[in-house]
């Protein structure tokens, strides 16, 4: 059995704790200007529903603002303390207590399909950006931590060569990975149990590619007090042959590779996967197809060898 | 440090060692080990007994052939032992019928074939003096304690003017006072001579005090780098300053937590590797050992 997909010893149930992700934006390349992205959807994530927001800015050029920077760098950007126009904008427009703003590009092979942005609350949990350095090791180039002081200190001195630790495995295999119960999981190597935040799951996402390898790895960490989302999972899919016109064709969800409920399937996993195939990129699903006590979900596809082979689901 | 080779002085890529297995497929004790050492850097390697630390070190020394991957020192592929790399093992293996001085001279003669007798003598004396054996040059190994013998072993290795020093649990057999003494002797020499050094140890405090980086190895089989920790304390170091640093215990904790987790996962790791070897068609999608 693949150690990453092992069920945690205790099955975690959908939680009522407030989610680390409080706000989401999805941007798509402009059809008439490839150097631009336009807003597709912006939403405040509430416990009971999703509130659509109409941001004052709906278009970014390559390199402009947090969104344009993620596009330019082909990697994740995160803003917390330093002045960031987008963080200010989101705080003002939502009136919510958002303390960090992050954005990452989503590619199908080498083609940009979205930039996804999250607004995070001031809670327990962490986001780390691991970038390849001149020794071919991954080191942290950007981060957000809540309730993880000792972990934060030591992590800035930690390096992972290819294949080592969760970031190194995502790099080596070029696929998203999730581990539950990181403290008990030998595949999550760092220890954090001196800190108040109790991490419950970690998702590693390979972001963009150069020379066939991810340029950086994004780590999203849920805590007991503040999971990223009410439910999160990496789902393995089998996709039809993609074409120029339909890069993300029909796909079949084959298994929950790892979810915050273990590998237990959810009734709407196929609906989530269909939503990505239908629009050909990341989707935000609300209403009908979603069940089991969730009101909406963000679904992000990841490709390998010319096909979508996994999707990340974050449900609220 | 701008020269490419200085920044990647020792370059270990996907280093793998497989030993024949009478019951089936070869056993890869070390698999896909990756590490780059800068010139002059001191790197400790820690990991559970039997994980493959000595295997990695002896491959770098050129004493143990590699099964796959690559291994280069200053851009040159390692294909066997060479004068650019010196090794010190747990027991110094001195020749019992030779004095301290003669034991060191043995290597110096080979290393400086064109030096005069006087020059060679000075080299031996210089390094024996550095390790604190100025007064024991004429003693025989049987007349010396383990700690003193290990000093001879260190002097012998360093007198060869190696570019790379490979230390395999050099203080493993010594009491803690002698150990601390010899740590300082080595650090003093390394700070002077800027020799790129790999040191295997089971002692987390030794790893923190001595090294610029600590490489934590996962369990075998298929042992590899689990993570690397940069130790930011400035060199040369004073033991007390290091111990007094408020972050000392963060490092200590990280190392112990790593070892504990590896210990805990030992059985499941072995089982997972076995299962993967029995189902090779699944190998591609499976997780590499981490
Ligand atoms: N010649 C050999 N043939 C087969 N297996 C070997 C051989 N040499 C070593 N091994 C195996 O390789 C593994 C790694 O051994 P190695 O000596 O490198 O470990 P180590 O980490 O240095 O251990 P220790 O901390 O006890 O010194 C062990 O399981 C050992 O049994
Ligand atoms: Mg050994």
């Amino acid at each position: 059995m693949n150690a990453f997909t092992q069920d945690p010893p205790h099955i975690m149930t959908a939680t009522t704790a407030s989610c680390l992700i409080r706000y989401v934006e999805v941007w798509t390349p402009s059809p008439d200007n490839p150097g631009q992205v336009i807003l597709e959807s912006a939403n405040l994530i509430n416990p009971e529903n999703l509130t659509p927001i109409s941001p004052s800015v709906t278009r970014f050029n390559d390199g402009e603002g947090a969104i344009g920077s993620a596009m330019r760098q082909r990697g994740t950007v995160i803003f917390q303390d330093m002045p960031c126009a987008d963080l200010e904008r989101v705080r003002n427009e939502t009136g919510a207590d958002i303390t960090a703003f992050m954005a990452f590009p989503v590619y199908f092979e080498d083609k940009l399909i979205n930039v996804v942005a999250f607004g995070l609350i001031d809670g327990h949990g962490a986001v780390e950006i691991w970038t390849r350095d001149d020794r071919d090791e991954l080191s942290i180039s950007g981060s957000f931590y809540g309730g993880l002081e000792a972990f934060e200190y030591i992590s800035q001195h930690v390096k992972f060569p290819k294949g080592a630790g969760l970031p190194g495995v995502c790099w080596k295999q070029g696929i998203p990975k999730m581990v539950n119960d990181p403290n008990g999981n030998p595949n999550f190597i760092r220890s954090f149990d001196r800190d108040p935040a109790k991490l419950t799951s970690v998702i590693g996402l390979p972001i963009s590619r150069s020379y066939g390898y991810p340029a950086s790895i994004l780590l999203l960490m849920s805590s007991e007090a503040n999971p990223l989302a009410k439910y999160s999972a990496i789902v393995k899919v089998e996709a039809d042959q993609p074409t120029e016109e339909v890069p993300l064709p029909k796909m079949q969800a084959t298994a929950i590779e790892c979810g915050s409920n273990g590998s237990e399937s959810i009734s709407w996993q196929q609906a989530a996967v269909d939503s990505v195939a239908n629009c050909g990129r990341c989707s935000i699903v609300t209403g009908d197809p979603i069940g089991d006590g969730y009101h909406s979900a963000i679904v992000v596809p990841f490709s390998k060898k010319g096909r979508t082979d996994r999707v990340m689901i974050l449900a609220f | 440090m701008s020269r490419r080779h200085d920044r990647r002085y020792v370059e270990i890529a996907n280093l793998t060692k497989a030993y024949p297995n009478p019951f089936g497929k070869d056993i890869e004790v070390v698999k896909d080990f990756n590490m780059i050492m800068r010139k002059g850097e001191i790197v400790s390697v820690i990991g559970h007994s039997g994980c493959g630390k000595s295997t990695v070190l002896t491959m770098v020394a050129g004493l143990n052939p590699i099964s796959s991957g690559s291994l280069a020192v200053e851009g040159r592929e390692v294909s066997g032992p060479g004068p650019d790399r010196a090794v010190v093992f747990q027991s110094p293996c001195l020749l019992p019928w030779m004095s301290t001085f003669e034991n060191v001279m043995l290597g110096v003669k080979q290393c400086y074939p064109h030096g005069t007798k006087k020059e060679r003598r000075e080299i031996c004396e210089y390094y024996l003096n550095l390790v604190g054996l100025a007064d024991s040059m004429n003693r025989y190994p049987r007349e010396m304690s383990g700690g003193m013998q290990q000093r001879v072993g260190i002097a012998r290795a360093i007198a060869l003017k190696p570019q790379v020093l490979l230390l395999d649990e050099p203080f493993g057999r010594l009491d803690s006072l002698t150990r601390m003494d010899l740590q300082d002797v080595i650090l003093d020499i390394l700070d002077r001579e800027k020799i790129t050094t790999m040191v295997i140890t089971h002692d987390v405090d030794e790893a923190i005090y001595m090294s610029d980086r600590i490489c934590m190895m996962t369990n075998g089989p298929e042992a590899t780098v689990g993570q690397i920790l940069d130790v930011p304390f400035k060199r040369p170091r004073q033991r007390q300053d290091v111990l007094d640093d408020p972050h000392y215990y963060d490092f200590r904790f990280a190392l112990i937590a790593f070892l504990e987790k590896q210990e805990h996962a030992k059985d499941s790791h072995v089982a997972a590797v076995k299962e993967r070897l029995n189902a090779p068609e699944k190998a591609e999608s499976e997780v590499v050992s981490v």
Side-chain angles (χ1 to χ4, degrees):
Chain A
M1 176 184 284
N2 181 333
F4 270 99
T5 60
Q6 255 167 26
D7 288 349
H10 57 286
I11 297 294
M12 282 161 275
T13 48
T15 168
T16 51
S18 49
C19 297
L20 202 61
I21 301 175
R22 179 80 167 94
Y23 175 77
V24 57
E25 283 173 3
V26 177
W27 298 77
T28 42
S30 154
D32 40 65
N33 182 350
Q36 254 183 9
V37 284
I38 50 178
L39 183 76
E40 189 170 293
S41 166
N43 302 277
L44 190 62
I45 300 163
N46 301 311
E48 304 303 329
N49 58 24
L50 215 57
T51 310
I53 304 288
S54 305
S56 48
V57 193
T58 56
R59 194 176 281 272
F60 278 110
N61 289 313
D62 189 11
E64 194 186 0
I67 306 296
S69 297
M71 201 177 159
R72 164 74 52 90
Q73 294 174 22
R74 300 172 64 90
T76 311
V77 294
I78 182 155
F79 297 93
Q80 197 172 359
D81 301 323
M82 65 183 92
C84 164
D86 293 284
L87 179 55
E88 286 305 313
R89 163 176 73 80
V90 169
R91 273 187 193 146
N92 292 337
E93 287 166 1
T94 60
D97 241 344
I98 290 168
T99 57
F101 186 77
M102 58 175 286
F104 61 97
V106 180
Y107 289 85
F108 180 82
E109 291 298 283
D110 278 336
K111 185 170 171 274
L112 180 75
I113 53 174
N114 288 110
V115 175
V116 176
F118 293 141
L120 309 176
I121 63 163
D122 183 15
H124 283 184
V127 174
E128 291 173 337
I129 305 162
W130 291 83
T131 313
R132 190 172 175 172
D133 60 22
D134 71 334
R135 283 203 221 219
D136 296 334
E137 291 166 3
L138 294 172
S139 50
I140 292 179
S141 61
S143 58
F144 162 89
Y145 295 99
L148 289 161
E149 229 171 82
F151 182 74
E152 173 176 5
Y153 174 77
I154 205 73
S155 295
Q156 63 177 316
H157 299 290
V158 170
K159 315 284 147 162
F160 288 118
K162 192 165 144 194
L166 184 59
V169 169
C170 290
W171 176 20
K172 180 166 183 159
Q173 302 194 349
I175 53 176
K177 285 274 178 196
M178 175 169 172
V179 299
N180 278 323
D181 182 27
N183 221 9
N185 191 317
N187 298 303
F188 192 83
I189 282 176
R190 289 174 289 159
S191 181
F192 48 85
D193 52 6
R194 286 193 303 170
D195 287 312
K198 301 288 163 242
L199 297 182
T200 51
S201 71
V202 184
I203 295 178
L205 305 173
I207 304 294
S208 85
R209 275 154 210 281
S210 51
Y211 311 109
Y213 290 113
S216 71
I217 304 297
L218 171 60
L219 248 51
L220 301 169
M221 306 186 209
S222 286
S223 72
E224 212 166 74
N226 305 105
L228 291 166
K230 218 156 134 188
Y231 172 77
S232 48
I234 301 292
V235 181
K236 179 111 180 68
V237 301
E238 247 159 50
D240 287 354
Q241 183 66 43
T243 61
E244 190 70 17
E245 300 79 55
V246 194
L248 273 70
K250 217 167 123 353
M251 43 186 119
Q252 188 65 41
T254 54
I256 301 274
E257 199 161 51
C258 182
S260 46
N261 292 345
S263 54
E264 206 176 295
S265 55
I266 43 171
S267 62
W268 46 276
Q269 67 195 34
Q270 185 57 43
V273 169
D274 286 343
S275 74
V276 167
N278 288 341
C279 69
R281 44 184 186 258
C282 300
S283 68
I284 294 183
V285 199
T286 51
D288 235 9
I290 302 278
D292 298 347
Y294 305 103
H295 60 72
S296 52
I298 302 161
V299 191
V300 182
F302 289 86
S303 66
K304 191 182 179 182
K305 292 184 182 154
R307 290 181 197 221
T308 300
D309 85 334
R310 281 166 178 82
V311 301
M312 174 179 70
I313 298 178
L314 298 172
F316 301 91
Chain B
M1 202 184 282
S2 58
R3 288 179 53 219
R4 177 185 155 84
H5 290 323
D6 287 357
R7 300 187 67 81
R8 305 170 80 94
Y9 198 71
V10 176
E11 200 161 346
I12 306 174
N14 297 324
L15 185 66
T16 298
K17 179 71 193 186
Y19 283 115
N21 170 16
F23 306 106
K25 257 185 92 182
D26 289 359
I27 296 174
E28 292 176 315
V29 294
V30 173
K31 187 174 181 181
D32 288 336
F33 186 101
N34 291 302
M35 189 161 69
I36 285 169
M37 294 170 70
R38 301 218 202 281
K39 190 172 170 56
E41 199 163 59
I42 307 177
V43 178
S44 306
V45 179
I46 67 163
H48 280 295
S49 187
C51 74
K53 302 178 293 298
S54 299
T55 303
V56 169
L57 183 132
T58 51
M59 284 193 283
V60 178
L63 299 170
N64 188 356
I66 71 174
S67 302
S68 62
S70 69
L71 189 52
V73 174
E74 211 183 354
R76 287 186 304 271
E77 198 73 21
V78 168
S79 56
D84 58 332
R85 283 153 288 137
V87 194
V88 176
F89 292 107
Q90 205 173 52
S91 309
C93 306
L94 303 177
L95 298 176
W97 61 88
M98 285 188 174
S99 70
T100 296
F101 182 84
E102 289 164 336
N103 263 291
V104 177
M105 182 56 96
L106 196 65
V108 168
K109 260 187 192 153
Q110 284 173 5
C111 221
Y112 302 90
H114 305 301
T116 63
K117 220 173 176 177
K118 179 164 175 283
E119 280 166 354
R120 289 189 201 151
R121 161 165 284 279
E122 279 171 4
I123 289 168
C124 293
E125 285 172 358
Y126 175 76
Y127 286 103
L128 281 167
N129 194 26
L130 272 190
V131 298
L133 290 180
D135 296 333
S136 309
M137 298 212 202
N138 298 318
R139 289 217 216 171
Y140 286 86
R142 64 174 178 278
E143 300 170 326
M144 293 191 294
S145 68
M148 287 169 87
Q149 291 189 31
Q150 196 59 313
R151 282 172 201 256
V152 181
I154 293 165
R156 186 177 55 183
I158 294 173
L160 304 177
K161 282 265 174 204
Q163 301 298 312
V164 177
L165 187 60
L166 302 164
L167 308 171
D168 192 346
E169 297 184 51
F171 318 126
R173 296 248 169 93
L174 309 176
D175 65 82
S176 46
L177 276 182
T178 312
R179 204 181 173 105
M180 285 197 267
D181 230 22
L182 278 189
Q183 287 166 359
D184 287 326
V185 165
I186 293 234
L187 282 179
D188 188 48
I189 294 172
L190 294 181
D191 281 330
R192 267 172 223 246
E193 318 238 335
K194 308 273 180 269
I195 306 172
T196 310
T197 301
M198 177 186 281
V199 52
I200 295 177
T201 178
H202 281 287
D203 180 338
V204 296
D205 297 298
E206 181 168 286
I208 300 169
Y209 178 52
M210 289 192 67
S211 39
D212 301 307
R213 316 188 92 199
I214 302 169
C215 167
M216 300 179 223
M217 273 183 82
T218 59
N219 291 333
E222 303 187 356
T224 191
V225 178
Q227 65 180 320
I228 293 172
L229 201 55
D230 275 339
V231 183
F233 307 135
K234 287 243 157 22
R235 315 190 66 89
R237 290 177 189 165
Q238 296 299 319
R239 192 180 296 273
Q240 202 52 50
D241 294 349
V242 172
L243 289 172
D244 288 345
D245 193 290
H247 288 302
Y248 182 80
Y249 287 91
D250 290 315
F251 287 94
R252 199 168 194 281
F253 176 82
L255 296 176
I256 290 174
F258 174 83
L259 291 173
E260 278 176 356
K261 205 163 192 178
Q262 291 298 313
E263 178 66 38
H264 193 68
K266 223 173 202 164
D267 297 342
S268 62
H269 172 74
V270 171
V273 171
K274 267 194 188 146
E275 186 170 339
R276 182 147 30 84
L277 291 178
N278 291 337
E281 72 283 0
K282 269 169 59 188
E284 196 269 336
S285 66
E286 288 297 323
V287 171
V288 283
S289 112
V290 276

